[in-house]
Amino acid sequence: MYKITIEVEGMACGMCESHVNDAVRKAFKVKKVTSSHSKGRTEILAEEIPDEWKLREVIEAIGYMVGNVIAEPYAKKGFSLFHK
């Protein structure tokens, strides 16, 4: 599993976040996608790393600017009653 963090400029509200999320879901097989206009980024969880140039193309096609794209391995944080 991978976490892909994308800097996205131009999102101004929750509807902008929704547009970006929908575009990513339609173009790629992802487990989860969330966007934050206040933080200026979109985070994707996926089994495979999507093609960066295709990601840029999909997001820029709906009117937003893409900055850095960072992919890193993602380990789900488990819940433990014994965690200190």
Side-chain angles (χ1 to χ4, degrees):
M1 187 77 85
Y2 294 94
K3 176 182 171 184
I4 300 90
T5 304
I6 308 162
E7 292 177 357
V8 181
E9 293 180 34
M11 292 189 293
C13 63
M15 189 58 79
C16 296
E17 296 169 357
S18 183
H19 287 304
V20 172
N21 293 347
D22 290 344
V24 170
R25 280 189 200 102
K26 288 178 185 175
F28 302 97
K29 185 177 177 181
V30 298
K31 293 284 185 186
K32 183 177 180 181
V33 58
T34 56
S35 296
S36 171
H37 70 278
S38 60
K39 294 179 182 177
R41 71 175 172 232
T42 296
E43 292 182 348
I44 300 169
L45 293 181
E47 293 288 335
E48 296 181 12
I49 300 173
D51 179 76
E52 179 181 341
W53 298 110
K54 175 81 172 164
L55 265 174
R56 290 177 179 280
E57 183 180 298
V58 166
I59 295 171
E60 289 176 356
I62 58 171
Y64 303 98
M65 296 293 297
V66 176
N68 289 331
V69 177
I70 301 166
E72 58 192 349
Y74 175 78
K76 187 174 180 181
K77 294 174 179 64
F79 176 75
S80 172
L81 294 173
F82 305 105
H83 181 48
K84 298 187 182 215

